């Protein structure tokens, strides 16, 4: 068979591990693989490179994606759909592996509905793809933000300040939750919960009274009140660019106004998305990439390789994309157990 592979959406650690697994697994079965450059844009434009195992021998160690990525939505127009099917036909691609989050996978689902032979691999630092227990990229990103919170702790303690760390995550609070829980924040603000300013100030005041400083984690997707900023500034899949709302800055400003304690904020932005993947992400990405090839070889197109418990299995696109995974009540309860 001739395989094609692409990475779409925001990059995250583990993408190269997944591409490597596709190439090695396909090669072991006697199949060829080409990579499409820059996500669906490469399929639209027919931009490819050959991929052989030697190219990716140490890919499991590397952040980013060797294939490049964009947030291009190829099915926005009928011309785009036609160009995608034309390219795959012209290049003789018999199985396409689309590695991405909800947006990339919904484009793959659209291709499958048109008769395309495609399987999916979920990734995203946001950890919000419904059908999989965890997505690779999340563990690496949250480990970076946990480290950042540890560094802010030193400055907060030395200067007796309140420090707010803003993290990514879009409309899911997983990165903030993991950072706040593992990094011992005094309050963690996630989009799944309405912003409760009184409760926040209560936690901050108690932390300051107890030990002279406070640490708060704010997810970029929280709603603090009337929208400021970036209405209309959206990507190809109509998502607002959330970092431009600067919620961390605003939370710090409100803390200083309400408590009189000197407050600062830090937004680590794309620093969370770069660097070498963690052990967990390397292994998960490898297992999912290999499973995607197995699904295609078995003719199970229209499926996404996901993690269920300790097993990797295939589930239909519709199931994988049905509901984005946000932070449920039991996790929120655990998080709040540790707030002062
Ligand atoms: O979906 C991944 C993500 O990192 C989100 O957490 C964040 O809102 C968004 O991408 C940032 O997108 P960009 O890299 O296009 O600024």
């Amino acid at each position: 068979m001739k395989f094609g592979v692409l990475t779409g959406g925001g990059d995250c650690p583990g993408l190269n591990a997944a591409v490597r697994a596709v190439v090695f697994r396909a090669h072991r079965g006697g199949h060829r693989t080409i990579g499409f450059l820059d996500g669906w844009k490469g399929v639209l434009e027919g931009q490819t490179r050959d991929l052989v195992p030697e190219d990716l021998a140490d890919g499991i160690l590397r952040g980013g994606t060797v294939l490049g990525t964009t947030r291009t939505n190829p099915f926005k127009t009928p011309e785009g759909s036609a160009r995608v099917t034309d390219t795959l036909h012209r290049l003789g691609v018999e199985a396409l592996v689309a590695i991405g989050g909800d947006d990339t996978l919904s484009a793959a689902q659209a291709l499958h509905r048109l008769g395309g032979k495609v399987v999916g691999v979920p990734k995203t630092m946001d950890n919000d793809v419904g059908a999989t227990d965890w997505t690779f990229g999340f563990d690496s990103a949250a480990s970076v933000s946990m480290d950042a919170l540890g560094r802010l702790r030193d400055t907060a303690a030395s200067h007796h300040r309140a420090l707010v760390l803003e993290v990514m995550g879009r409309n899911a609070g997983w990165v903030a939750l993991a950072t706040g829980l593992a990094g011992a924040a005094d309050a963690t603000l996630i989009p799944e919960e309405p912003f409760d300013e009184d409760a926040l100030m209560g936690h901050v005041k108690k932390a300051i009274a107890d030990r002279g400083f406070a640490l708060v984690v704010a997810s970029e997707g929280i709603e603090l009140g009337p929208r400021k900023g970036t209405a209309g500034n959206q990507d190809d899949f109509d998502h607002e660019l959330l970092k431009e709302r600067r919620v961390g800055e605003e939370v710090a400003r409100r803390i200083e106004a309400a408590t009189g304690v000197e407050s600062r904020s830090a937004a680590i932005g794309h620093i969370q998305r770069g660097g070498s993947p963690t052990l967990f992400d390397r292994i998960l990405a490898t297992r999912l990439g290999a499973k995607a090839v197995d699904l295609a070889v078995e003719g199970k197109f229209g499926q996404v390789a996901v993690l269920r418990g300790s097993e990797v299995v295939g589930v239909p696109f519709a199931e994988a994309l049905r509901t984005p995974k946000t932070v449920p009540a039991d996790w929120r309860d655990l998080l709040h157990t540790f707030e002062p």
Side-chain angles (χ1 to χ4, degrees):
M1 272 164 98
K2 184 172 181 183
F3 275 81
V5 59
L6 66 85
T7 55
D11 73 332
C12 69
L15 284 170
N16 288 325
V19 172
R20 172 179 181 265
V22 169
V23 173
F24 272 74
R25 191 70 145 202
H27 181 79
R28 196 187 69 171
H31 312 294
R32 272 187 65 194
T33 308
I34 60 167
F36 286 98
L37 306 185
D38 299 332
W40 289 106
K41 182 168 180 280
V43 187
L44 281 175
E45 297 174 356
Q47 298 288 329
T48 65
R49 60 174 273 195
D50 286 331
L51 291 172
V52 290
E54 297 75 53
D55 296 336
L56 288 147
D58 64 359
I60 195 166
L61 314 176
R62 313 255 170 253
T65 164
V66 286
L67 294 178
T69 184
T70 57
R71 296 192 186 277
T72 306
N73 180 359
F75 296 103
K76 248 189 153 176
T77 62
E79 299 74 43
S81 306
R83 278 166 66 191
V84 165
T85 43
D86 282 357
T87 303
L88 295 174
H89 183 71
R90 182 168 50 79
L91 297 176
V93 172
E94 296 162 278
L96 179 67
V97 181
I99 306 174
D102 280 345
D103 296 331
T104 304
L105 296 178
S106 10
Q109 181 183 33
L111 175 61
H112 180 64
R113 286 189 179 131
L114 293 172
K117 293 189 167 175
V118 56
V119 291
V121 172
K123 68 85 213 177
T124 166
M125 63 158 283
D126 301 336
N127 196 38
D128 62 351
V129 176
T132 186
D133 289 352
W134 301 100
T135 49
F136 66 79
F138 165 70
D139 186 66
S140 305
S143 299
V144 171
S145 52
M146 179 187 73
D147 176 69
L149 191 68
R151 290 163 193 269
L152 293 179
R153 176 175 293 273
D154 292 344
T155 297
S158 306
H159 287 261
H160 317 294
R161 287 176 176 166
L163 278 179
V164 180
L165 175 65
E166 179 185 318
V167 299
M168 286 182 170
R170 227 188 262 288
N171 300 315
W174 290 105
V175 177
L177 172 127
T179 306
L181 199 51
D186 300 303
T188 302
L189 309 173
I190 58 175
E192 289 84 351
E193 294 180 326
F195 177 59
D196 182 341
E197 193 153 338
D198 292 340
L200 169 65
M201 298 313 164
H203 297 314
V204 169
K205 283 178 186 160
K206 178 79 170 47
I208 286 168
D210 289 350
R211 42 117 156 99
F213 69 93
L215 284 174
V216 175
V217 179
S219 178
E220 64 176 356
I222 57 170
E223 294 290 345
L224 294 172
R227 279 294 177 97
K228 303 188 303 172
T230 60
N233 201 356
Q234 292 169 331
D235 68 18
D236 221 15
F237 287 91
D238 300 332
H239 298 301
E240 188 185 0
L241 303 181
L242 294 173
K243 74 177 186 338
E244 295 177 11
R245 295 166 60 218
R246 298 194 168 85
V247 293
E249 259 178 52
E250 176 63 12
V251 170
R253 197 193 61 71
R254 292 194 197 183
I255 290 175
E256 186 159 316
T259 65
V261 173
E262 194 178 23
S263 303
R264 298 282 191 275
S265 68
I268 48 173
H270 295 88
I271 292 168
Q272 288 155 99
R273 290 222 313 244
S276 187
T278 57
L279 168 73
F280 182 85
D281 283 343
R282 292 181 197 193
I283 302 295
L284 178 58
T286 298
R287 293 180 75 197
L288 296 182
K291 180 69 180 180
V293 171
D294 295 350
L295 289 171
V297 169
E298 289 161 19
K300 293 181 178 161
F301 294 106
Q303 297 214 1
V304 181
V306 298
L307 180 70
R308 289 276 171 86
S310 59
E311 302 298 310
V312 291
V313 297
V315 299
F317 277 118
E319 188 179 333
L321 294 168
R322 191 168 298 136
T323 335
K325 189 176 62 190
T326 51
V327 175
D330 56 341
W331 276 104
R332 303 202 299 264
D333 186 45
L334 182 67
L335 176 67
H336 297 314
T337 305
F338 300 94
E339 289 172 344

